[in-house]
Amino acid sequence: MDFNNSYRVDLREMNFLLWEQFDIEKNLLDPTVNAEYNKDFIQQLLFHARDFAYNELGPNYQRADREGCKLLDDGTVQLPSKYQGIWQKYTDAQWGRLSSPQHYDGLSSPYIVAQMIYEVFQGADPSFMVYSGFCAPAMYLIERFATAEVKQCFSHKLATNEWTACLCMTEPQAGSDVGAITTKAIPQDDGSYHIEGGKIFISAGMHELTDNIVYLLLARVEGARPGTTGLSCFVVPRYDLQHDGSLIDNHVRCVRLEDKMGIHGCATAQLSFGDNGPCKAFLLGDRENIGLRQLSSMMHMARISTGIYALGLAGRAYMSAAEYAENRVQGTSFKEAFNPRAKKVSIMAHIDVRRMLLEMKSKVEGCRALIHKLTFHQSWLTNLQALETLHPEKSEQYQALSKHHESLVHLLTPIVKAYTSDQAWRVAELAIQVYGGHGYIKDHPVEQIARDVKILSIWEGTSFIQSADLMKDKLAMGRNSKLLVVYQDQVKTSIARNRKAGVLLVETDALELSLAIFVKTHALMGTWVKEQKLELIFSISTRFLEMMAEVTLSWLLLDGAVIAVQKLKNLEDSQDEAFYTGKIASAQFYVNNILPGVKSKAEIIAKEDTSALDATGDMFLQRTDLYGKQYF
């Protein structure tokens, strides 16, 4: 069977964010922190990443989907046939070391650069990227909390991708309700623990790509209190490392692989721990019952990674649809609809196709700007930590700056995760529509993209969980929120800069009005708290998160468009004319067609509709026929 390599990526758009909109050469790159990462080196990294994606990952995307993963009789998992070879090339090229620190043989790249490269790879073959995706977060979690002995065993192996890692939280009875976890940890005389229980939905949970897999696992120590406060985090190796360096079976078994809608190349495993022998585990740190608190920092990174995964696939869907529209000849121009001799045109000439492509383009570019606004601030946090070590006399100054950047990272994370994953699904659906009937068949890539992208609004906390986190932990349930003040200042600074430039003033007015509506709606939530209408807040929290996302994307798209207007005035390279014109069109389309949703959502929220609160379960389930017989 032939497999298509339809992968495409627009490095010009990425370079615009790096060197024009966020201007990291001026605002971020610091030779005293990491001199190697200058503009030329970063651009070369992006080119090499594109080539790896085109030549290695892209050609395998459809093949891996068709071959899938198989659980063999001996308990091993068979991955798609090309993955072992690609893994070897991936690790030889040191791509998995981008985010790792230098003292563990990592490349210690700026966070924004590493995540931009991972976007390229995620768009090319997301199933493959899951196998390495948890290595850096697990390593940093171990570095932050684990004992010296545990660090010595696991950190270097994870930093170099010599071993991989997985997060094990979900159980059949405990999905979003983490407090219902029943997996048991039994203390041993030597300070270790034995794990007994099972976990489901473990992404990349069993494979033979590496000699070992490290599981970060939530369990309840015998006798610990119920609920989330009785959970501890453990480091559980698939194979236990002996003093002589050898590995022995640690009694972790794969008992099932999930048959999923998408990401078929990723082995989503059900695992049992200790059912046929003792499964040794190490407590993360020296305290029990703080596992969920420890994992919160890693979940933060995982949610950003989910947004990047969604962005990679959304970008691929958009570019595939645009290329197809350019080449697919169908019908005549609307202006010559009644001319029997009219020349046939590509569907790119049809107005509704251009409308769909522009919606996809604006959402992809807006979400990319949103994500790299966050990664820009996360990169600054890393810089400031290094600078504080180099210049301890400036510690107070650096800590104040860190607090500012950390505030924006925390505020934007739930929006990145929820909005990008939701919109990636809608972009994929629009891509299928552009292809028409051809988009629904497997010869073309967009049906697979849609299947692969849907999981992302569920992974690492559903979109509702992100909206609840935004309302409760970031925006103070509508009351005075320091993070909201920081956010408003950022948007208002951008609005003032646009007015000073004197361009796109109508769109800037729309942004200013929408920001005011958003802030007013936030205050309404505070009123509901006083009136003890907390349930009402959570009934509309997903809609409220969308409002904030739409304001944010409009702000960032307009920032890019103002730069584009200025660049067009002194254009040196005519090839950039279409690019900059496209940046302006993306901003105008989003502001004129998507941003008005802020006002309409605010009006809906203000109605205080209680339909969902008043609904009862039987109205959804009960059915009767004409004779009164009930069907369930």
Side-chain angles (χ1 to χ4, degrees):
M1 181 178 180
D2 292 331
F3 300 101
N4 297 323
N5 181 13
S6 63
Y7 182 61
R8 302 290 183 271
V9 64
D10 187 358
L11 293 189
R12 180 66 184 87
E13 169 67 16
M14 293 181 174
N15 275 281
F16 176 83
L17 290 175
L18 287 174
W19 314 117
E20 297 176 72
Q21 184 157 348
F22 296 122
D23 193 4
I24 69 168
E25 189 172 32
K26 173 184 175 182
N27 297 321
L28 182 64
L29 300 182
D30 189 330
T32 65
V33 174
N34 199 332
E36 184 179 8
Y37 285 91
N38 56 39
K39 182 175 182 178
D40 288 342
F41 182 65
I42 290 170
Q43 287 184 309
Q44 286 303 311
L45 271 179
L46 284 171
F47 284 130
H48 287 312
R50 178 204 59 191
D51 291 346
F52 187 85
Y54 276 21
N55 298 329
E56 304 297 339
L57 298 174
N60 194 58
Y61 181 58
Q62 284 190 335
R63 180 191 296 274
D65 179 65
R66 306 298 190 268
E67 291 181 352
C69 304
K70 298 179 180 65
L71 178 60
L72 304 182
D73 292 340
D74 63 359
T76 61
V77 173
Q78 177 182 298
L79 300 186
S81 58
K82 300 291 185 181
Y83 271 11
Q84 189 70 57
I86 297 173
W87 180 263
Q88 190 62 54
K89 293 177 181 178
Y90 181 85
T91 53
D92 286 349
Q94 302 185 48
W95 289 120
R97 302 186 185 198
L98 277 173
S99 301
S100 300
Q102 290 179 338
H103 62 270
Y104 284 136
D105 296 327
L107 302 181
S108 196
S109 72
Y111 189 73
I112 189 172
V113 174
Q115 300 312 312
M116 203 166 271
I117 288 172
Y118 290 143
E119 179 200 332
V120 173
F121 293 158
Q122 294 281 18
D125 189 351
S127 289
F128 175 84
M129 290 303 298
V130 176
Y131 292 96
S132 69
F134 202 64
C135 291
M139 183 272 298
Y140 280 112
L141 189 73
I142 288 171
E143 281 295 284
R144 181 175 177 182
F145 294 110
T147 63
E149 180 185 3
V150 172
K151 291 178 186 179
Q152 185 177 2
C153 288
F154 300 106
S155 291
H156 186 272
K157 300 284 189 181
L158 292 172
T160 58
N161 285 191
E162 189 174 341
W163 294 350
T164 58
C166 299
L167 176 63
C168 299
M169 294 179 66
T170 305
E171 298 176 9
Q173 79 293 342
S176 298
D177 183 10
V178 179
I181 283 174
T182 60
T183 298
K184 184 167 58 175
I186 305 167
Q188 303 299 303
D189 293 339
D190 64 357
S192 68
Y193 293 74
H194 286 172
I195 301 296
E196 293 181 0
K199 300 288 183 177
I200 64 171
F201 298 164
I202 309 306
S203 301
M206 189 63 71
H207 58 80
E208 306 301 321
L209 292 176
T210 55
D211 293 336
N212 209 353
I213 304 172
V214 180
Y215 302 100
L216 275 296
L217 179 143
L218 274 184
R220 199 178 306 279
V221 177
E222 279 189 320
R225 54 188 174 272
T228 57
T229 56
L231 294 173
S232 302
C233 188
F234 296 89
V235 182
V236 185
R238 179 186 177 189
Y239 296 108
D240 189 24
L241 181 65
Q242 301 300 289
H243 293 298
D244 62 0
S246 62
L247 297 170
I248 64 170
D249 187 13
N250 197 31
H251 304 291
V252 180
R253 296 285 180 267
C254 178
V255 297
R256 170 187 164 90
L257 291 182
E258 302 298 343
D259 187 6
K260 309 185 299 295
M261 174 179 173
I263 56 169
H264 292 155
C266 173
T268 303
Q270 179 175 338
L271 302 176
S272 71
F273 297 86
D275 67 351
N276 64 336
C279 179
K280 186 175 182 179
F282 305 92
L283 182 69
L284 185 64
D286 55 9
R287 289 178 57 196
E288 297 175 352
N289 305 324
I290 58 169
L292 207 56
R293 199 186 319 161
Q294 291 171 325
L295 284 176
S296 63
S297 61
M298 188 186 60
M299 293 299 294
H300 162 80
M301 295 178 69
R303 287 168 176 172
I304 297 169
S305 296
T306 300
I308 291 164
Y309 177 155
L311 175 61
L313 283 176
R316 178 178 188 153
Y318 159 62
M319 297 199 72
S320 295
E323 187 171 281
Y324 182 83
E326 179 67 21
N327 295 321
R328 172 67 167 167
V329 175
Q330 195 87 166
T332 61
S333 167
F334 179 78
K335 295 177 180 178
E336 298 195 56
F338 300 104
N339 180 2
R341 296 190 210 48
K343 181 181 177 182
K344 301 292 184 182
V345 297
S346 75
I347 63 172
M348 183 75 83
H350 300 322
I351 185 64
D352 194 55
V353 171
R354 293 204 299 274
R355 176 194 62 80
M356 289 188 286
L357 289 172
L358 201 48
E359 180 174 340
M360 296 163 72
K361 173 179 164 63
S362 66
K363 287 181 173 179
V364 168
E365 291 178 7
C367 287
R368 184 175 287 119
L370 163 66
I371 285 175
H372 294 302
K373 171 72 172 169
L374 185 157
T375 63
F376 174 82
H377 291 291
Q378 183 66 50
S379 300
W380 253 112
L381 283 173
T382 305
N383 274 11
L384 289 166
Q385 290 169 1
L387 288 169
E388 189 175 353
T389 302
L390 291 170
H391 306 287
E393 74 279 3
K394 296 183 179 180
S395 177
E396 189 173 335
Q397 174 187 343
Y398 291 143
Q399 287 180 13
L401 285 171
S402 292
K403 188 173 182 180
H404 169 76
H405 291 291
E406 188 175 38
S407 296
L408 286 164
V409 168
H410 285 315
L411 183 61
L412 294 177
T413 295
I415 304 172
V416 161
K417 196 282 174 185
Y419 189 76
T420 305
S421 60
D422 285 340
Q423 295 310 310
W425 168 253
R426 288 168 176 80
V427 167
E429 178 249 334
L430 279 173
I432 294 173
Q433 195 71 17
V434 169
Y435 273 79
H438 289 282
Y440 198 66
I441 63 174
K442 292 189 175 183
D443 291 347
H444 296 285
V446 288
E447 64 84 28
Q448 183 184 344
I449 293 172
R451 289 187 288 107
D452 285 351
V453 84
K454 186 62 196 93
I455 185 60
L456 301 177
S457 60
I458 301 168
W459 254 4
E460 310 300 350
T462 64
S463 295
F464 167 73
I465 288 174
Q466 306 308 311
S467 69
D469 173 60
L470 178 69
M471 282 301 307
K472 183 164 63 77
D473 296 334
K474 309 299 190 298
L475 295 181
M477 297 290 282
R479 292 164 292 180
N480 293 331
S481 166
K482 293 179 180 178
L483 290 184
L484 183 60
V485 173
V486 172
Y487 176 81
Q488 284 182 268
D489 287 346
Q490 290 260 311
V491 182
K492 288 179 178 179
T493 298
S494 179
I495 288 170
R497 189 167 57 242
N498 293 357
R499 294 203 188 287
K500 185 176 180 180
V503 296
L504 297 169
L505 296 179
V506 172
E507 290 80 7
T508 299
D509 287 343
L511 172 61
E512 187 171 43
L513 175 62
S514 296
L515 175 65
I517 292 171
F518 168 72
V519 172
K520 183 179 179 181
T521 304
H522 174 265
L524 177 62
M525 306 296 102
T527 301
W528 288 355
V529 170
K530 293 177 183 178
E531 296 171 354
Q532 298 185 338
K533 297 177 180 177
L534 295 183
E535 274 191 303
L536 194 57
I537 292 176
F538 292 113
S539 75
I540 55 82
S541 60
T542 53
R543 186 172 279 126
F544 183 81
L545 183 147
E546 287 179 1
M547 291 174 66
M548 189 170 184
E550 288 163 0
V551 171
T552 306
L553 263 68
S554 297
W555 152 38
L556 296 172
L557 284 168
L558 279 173
D559 274 358
V562 169
I563 293 170
V565 170
Q566 294 165 340
K567 293 283 185 176
L568 283 170
K569 293 177 181 177
N570 303 292
L571 198 63
E572 296 179 1
D573 186 349
S574 60
Q575 291 184 347
D576 269 343
E577 183 174 358
F579 173 79
Y580 288 126
T581 303
K583 295 296 296 179
I584 298 167
S586 291
Q588 290 178 321
F589 182 90
Y590 195 91
V591 169
N592 292 328
N593 292 272
I594 310 297
L595 185 61
V598 170
K599 182 174 185 291
S600 64
K601 291 182 183 73
E603 291 171 351
I604 293 169
I605 290 171
K607 290 179 180 179
E608 300 191 14
D609 175 51
T610 61
S611 298
L613 301 180
D614 299 337
T616 58
D618 57 359
M619 73 168 59
F620 299 110
L621 299 176
Q622 192 175 55
R623 299 291 183 270
T624 59
D625 66 13
L626 293 175
Y627 303 100
K629 184 177 179 180
Q630 294 186 347
Y631 294 94
F632 297 94

